[in-house]
């Protein structure tokens, strides 16, 4: 009886092991070479990748009965394959061992397709494994690409070394319940660490949720002295200080243009907030001037932002966008400025023009300085600042040492390339792109080398390569961090639903001595 039980256990384990192991594939030795260019999705051909990135699983877009992929360093191979689905997946442990062993090396990739009983070898492509890793976590908002609805949305964090995605906060179905609705946006972190972070909740349960060293609170940032709610945050790299823009925003819809919608500011200012004292202040407050997208320099002594004059628009904060606004919007050109900050006195100096986009008949948005302080990364489009909808938008940099301004041509596409984030080592950028279908925003990663050039961008890898095709949501506002958010989604939801703490207004030294000086500066 004991012997029989042992035999049954052995058979059971054998079956389990058999079903749990992955199929093995052999490289065909009799494959016929073809000159036809291989089609795969996502496009992972001829790219530079981090050595700690998750497997680049892909789908072969060629007809066939069987598929094999061989990645070789010349000394060792990594092999995977597929049945007639053409979906190539790699064992995650084998993948990471292979990349780790081949840091700073070039890999050749061969794909073989069996069609009508014959094997064909397609032209090889190259993958370069960079020496520098990318920050482990990427956070983003997943949102339906709509204009008025924000149900079933959330902020999520993805482990870039695996395929694990975890929620930071979700609104779930509560958005359809009266007085419990809220939108979630504008997440930001202090110096690539998630312990100090924030995001905004909007509508019925609106407020700014700030997590600071384990303590979480919801703020009511409204004040009679402040234009409106805070938007587009940036956390000081070392201190508990934040800069925001405060924007009054409206939408105008296109009838014929595939861009679909234009988002315009009626008015916007730059705001400073002290997390420790709950004090909020105006940094730049002017009439007929729009200031937006503030971002601290990595040294903490300068704030970069975008600014446009609006003498042709009605900037009454209570006004409503009309049909003329979209025509005027095409004249709206944002330049990039910076304003110095004195830490001891907590005051701001006079603004300085950094890049005159208007002189080139362009408009700039989202200025962000590289961690080493050498490069200013920004988005450049034909007009306006809501470039996530603009097919003309591309990634640009300014060399802050030489003053040279140029596009990141290898990373850009012929469609939307917009909101971006630097990695903490400055060697990677992640940005939003609609290059795949023009409607859904997806996250793309590009290597930024020591010479200030970006390389071909590649889509955020997924366990199932067709995942992004089937996901009817857009990736919004990518942000890299070195560590995982230490707060639970349930805790954030509890704070969103709870009471808010009012802030105190504190006057700081204004941008100009008087409005006449402001108008003179604007006219100049």
């Amino acid at each position: 009886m004991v012997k029989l039980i042992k035999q049954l256990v052995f058979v059971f384990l054998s079956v389990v092991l058999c079903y749990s192991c992955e199929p093995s594939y052999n490289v065909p030795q009799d494959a016929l070479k073809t000159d036809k260019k291989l089609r795969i999705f996502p496009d992972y051909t001829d790219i530079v990748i981090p050595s700690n990135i998750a497997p680049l699983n892909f789908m072969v877009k060629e007809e066939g009965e069987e598929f094999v992929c061989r990645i070789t360093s010349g000394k060792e191979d990594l092999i995977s394959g597929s049945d007639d689905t053409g979906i190539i997946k790699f064992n995650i442990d084998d993948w990471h061992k292979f990349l780790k062993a081949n840091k700073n090396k070039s890999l050749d990739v061969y794909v073989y397709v069996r069609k009508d009983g014959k094997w064909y070898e397609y032209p090889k492509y190259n993958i370069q494994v960079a020496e520098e890793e990318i920050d482990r976590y990427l956070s983003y908002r997943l949102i339906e690409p709509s204009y008025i609805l924000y149900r079933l949305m959330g902020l999520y964090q993805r482990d870039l070394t695996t395929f694990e995605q975890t929620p930071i906060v979700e609104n779930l179905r509560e958005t359809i319940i009266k007085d419990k609705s809220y939108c979630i946006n504008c997440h930001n972190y202090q110096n690539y660490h998630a312990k100090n972070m924030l995001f905004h909740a909007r509508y019925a349960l609106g407020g700014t949720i700030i997590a600071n060293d384990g303590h979480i609170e919801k703020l009511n940032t409204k004040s009679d002295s402040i234009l409106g709610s805070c938007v587009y945050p940036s956390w000081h790299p070392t201190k508990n200080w934040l800069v925001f823009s405060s924007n009054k925003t409206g939408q105008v819809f296109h009838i014929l243009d595939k861009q679909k919608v234009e988002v315009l500011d009626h008015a916007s200012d730059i705001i400073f907030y002290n997390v420790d004292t709950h004090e909020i202040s105006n940094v730049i407050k002017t009439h007929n001037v729009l200031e937006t997208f503030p971002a601290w320099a990595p040294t903490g002594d300068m704030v970069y932002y975008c600014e446009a004059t609006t003498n042709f628009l009605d900037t009454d904060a209570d006004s409503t966008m009309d049909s003329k606004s979209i025509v005027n919007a095409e004249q709206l050109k944002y330049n990039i400025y910076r304003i110095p900050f004195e830490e001891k006195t907590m005051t701001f100096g006079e603004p300085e023009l950094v890049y005159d986009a208007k002189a080139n008949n362009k408009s700039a948005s989202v200025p962000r300085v590289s961690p080493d302080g050498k490069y200013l990364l920004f988005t450049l489009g034909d007009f306006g600042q809501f470039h996530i909808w603009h097919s003309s938008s591309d990634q640009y940099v300014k060399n802050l040492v030489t003053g040279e301004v140029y596009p990141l041509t290898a990373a850009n596409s012929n469609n939307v390339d917009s909101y971006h984030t630097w990695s903490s080592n400055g060697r990677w950028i992640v940005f939003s792109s609609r290059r795949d279908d023009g409607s859904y925003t997806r996250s793309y990663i590009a290597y930024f080398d020591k010479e200030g050039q970006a390389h071909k961008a590649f889509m955020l890898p997924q366990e199932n390569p067709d995942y992004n095709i089937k996901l009817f949501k857009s990736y919004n506002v990518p942000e890299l961090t070195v560590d995982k958010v230490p707060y639970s989604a349930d805790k954030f939801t509890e704070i969103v639903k709870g009471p808010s703490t009012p802030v105190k207004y504190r006057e700081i030294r204004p941008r100009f001595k008087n409005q006449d000086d402001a108008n003179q500066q604007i006219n100049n």
Side-chain angles (χ1 to χ4, degrees):
M1 186 66 180
V2 175
K3 185 177 180 180
L4 177 61
I5 293 175
K6 288 182 178 180
Q7 289 176 340
L8 290 174
V9 170
F10 175 81
V11 171
F12 173 78
L13 290 175
S14 299
V15 171
V16 170
L17 290 173
C18 180
Y19 277 98
S20 65
C21 67
E22 298 180 359
S24 60
Y25 293 90
N26 296 318
V27 175
Q29 301 301 313
D30 56 348
L32 303 173
K33 291 188 177 182
T34 176
D35 294 331
K36 183 181 177 182
K37 185 178 179 180
L38 179 70
R39 296 176 301 153
I40 64 172
F41 180 85
D43 181 6
Y44 290 145
T45 63
D46 303 319
I47 57 175
V48 183
I49 66 172
S51 62
N52 60 332
I53 197 71
L56 300 184
N57 297 337
F58 65 91
M59 180 167 46
V60 181
K61 304 292 286 184
E62 307 290 342
E63 291 184 3
E65 298 105 25
E66 191 176 356
F67 303 83
V68 171
C69 176
R70 170 181 170 244
I71 306 179
T72 180
S73 65
K75 295 182 179 179
E76 55 183 334
D77 295 346
L78 182 65
I79 299 172
S80 186
S82 170
D83 55 15
D84 58 3
T85 63
I87 295 178
I88 305 291
K89 294 184 178 183
F90 299 93
N91 177 279
I92 192 167
D93 294 329
D94 293 343
W95 172 270
H96 281 301
K97 290 177 183 177
F98 189 71
L99 292 195
K100 185 177 180 180
N102 290 284
K103 272 190 178 184
N104 206 24
K105 293 182 181 179
S106 180
L107 305 175
D108 291 327
V109 184
Y110 296 87
V111 173
Y112 305 86
V113 178
R114 185 169 65 86
K115 183 178 180 181
D116 298 329
K118 295 182 180 180
W119 281 101
Y120 295 90
E121 178 187 319
Y122 281 75
K124 70 176 181 180
Y125 62 88
N126 178 263
I127 293 178
Q128 179 76 29
V129 183
E131 184 177 358
E132 304 92 343
E133 295 185 345
I134 193 170
D135 298 322
R136 183 168 180 174
Y137 294 97
L138 179 73
S139 58
Y140 39 76
R141 180 172 65 162
L142 289 179
I143 180 173
E144 295 169 350
S146 59
Y147 317 117
I148 59 174
L149 299 177
Y150 42 81
R151 59 186 178 87
L152 299 175
M153 70 154 55
L155 301 179
Y156 300 89
Q157 191 168 52
R158 163 70 185 274
D159 185 341
L160 293 181
T161 68
T162 69
F163 301 108
E164 181 185 33
Q165 175 182 277
T166 54
I168 297 173
V169 60
E170 297 173 305
N171 63 8
L172 300 177
R173 295 188 179 273
E174 292 174 342
T175 54
I176 63 175
I177 303 175
K178 186 178 179 181
D179 298 328
K180 289 188 177 182
S181 302
Y182 60 97
C183 175
I184 309 165
N185 59 16
C186 294
H187 52 287
N188 190 259
Y189 306 91
Q190 184 183 39
N191 199 25
Y192 300 97
H193 289 274
K195 183 174 65 173
N196 290 352
M197 63 167 291
L198 67 94
F199 62 88
H200 298 309
R202 303 295 187 201
Y203 198 50
L205 298 177
T208 297
I209 289 77
I210 294 183
N212 177 34
D213 199 21
H215 175 69
I216 309 175
E217 62 180 343
K218 177 181 173 182
L219 299 176
N220 177 6
T221 58
K222 294 180 179 179
S223 167
D224 292 340
S225 301
I226 300 296
L227 177 63
S229 299
C230 293
V231 197
Y232 304 135
S234 178
W235 202 306
H236 189 279
T238 58
K239 304 292 185 179
N240 280 337
W241 300 326
L242 294 156
V243 286
F244 302 89
S245 62
S246 182
N247 303 56
K248 292 288 186 178
T249 303
Q251 298 181 79
V252 179
F253 293 88
H254 297 264
I255 296 177
L256 300 177
D257 194 325
K258 64 180 180 180
Q259 188 174 298
K260 303 178 181 67
V261 64
E262 188 60 48
V263 178
L264 299 172
D265 288 335
H266 298 258
S268 56
D269 297 324
I270 302 297
I271 309 300
F272 176 84
Y273 179 69
N274 188 325
V275 177
D276 296 326
T277 64
H278 290 149
E279 293 177 323
I280 197 166
S281 311
N282 284 305
V283 175
I284 304 176
K285 186 176 178 63
T286 54
H287 183 63
N288 282 341
V289 180
L290 304 176
E291 302 94 357
T292 191
F293 290 121
W296 290 101
T299 50
D301 60 354
M302 195 78 67
V303 172
Y304 287 75
Y305 64 96
C306 295
E307 178 179 298
T309 59
T310 59
N311 54 342
F312 50 83
L313 280 176
D314 179 6
T315 55
D316 182 354
D318 296 323
S319 66
T320 302
M321 295 288 181
D322 57 23
S323 59
K324 297 180 181 179
S325 298
I326 188 60
V327 177
N328 290 332
E330 294 179 1
Q331 305 174 43
L332 195 60
K333 313 287 184 178
Y334 283 79
N335 292 329
I336 299 177
Y337 284 80
R338 63 185 178 189
I339 185 169
F341 175 74
E342 172 56 52
E343 182 177 318
K344 291 182 180 180
T345 60
M346 294 175 63
T347 57
F348 292 87
E350 295 295 314
E352 173 191 359
L353 179 65
V354 177
Y355 177 61
D356 192 345
K358 186 176 181 180
N360 296 300
N361 199 29
K362 293 289 185 179
S363 185
S365 66
V366 197
R368 288 191 161 187
V369 180
S370 59
D372 61 7
K374 292 182 179 179
Y375 297 95
L376 175 67
L377 176 64
F378 58 96
T379 302
L380 199 65
D382 287 344
F383 64 91
Q385 51 80 30
F386 209 70
H387 287 148
I388 62 171
W389 285 103
H390 293 192
S391 59
S392 65
S393 62
D394 279 320
Q395 301 295 296
Y396 274 69
V397 293
K398 177 176 181 178
N399 186 318
L400 295 176
V401 178
T402 67
E404 182 185 8
V405 177
Y406 52 93
L408 299 182
T409 304
N412 289 327
S413 70
N414 59 3
N415 213 306
V416 178
D417 297 304
S418 60
Y419 196 100
H420 43 246
T421 178
W422 289 98
S423 64
S424 61
N425 58 16
R427 294 279 73 87
W428 303 94
I429 59 173
V430 183
F431 60 94
S432 301
S433 182
R434 291 188 176 180
R435 64 186 62 192
D436 300 295
D437 53 32
S439 295
Y440 288 90
T441 304
R442 300 182 177 104
S443 295
Y444 272 75
I445 304 170
Y447 183 62
F448 188 84
D449 64 32
K450 296 178 181 179
E451 285 69 46
Q453 296 295 330
H455 294 245
K456 180 180 175 181
F458 62 95
M459 185 188 290
L460 174 69
Q462 302 289 351
E463 184 172 14
N464 293 308
D466 60 348
Y467 174 82
N468 283 325
I469 300 175
K470 298 177 179 178
L471 178 68
F472 295 138
K473 288 183 181 291
S474 284
Y475 289 79
N476 184 247
V477 187
E479 294 286 353
L480 286 166
T481 55
V482 298
D483 52 8
K484 190 174 183 179
V485 172
Y487 312 102
S488 71
D490 289 341
K491 183 62 178 178
F492 274 136
T493 300
E494 176 187 332
I495 298 298
V496 169
K497 293 179 179 179
S500 58
T501 302
V503 299
K504 297 171 287 185
Y505 182 76
R506 174 180 178 270
E507 190 68 51
I508 61 175
R509 184 161 66 89
R511 175 186 181 189
F512 301 103
K513 295 179 181 178
N514 55 60
Q515 188 61 43
D516 291 336
D517 289 345
N519 291 333
Q520 182 179 358
Q521 176 75 13
I522 292 165
N523 292 331
N524 291 338

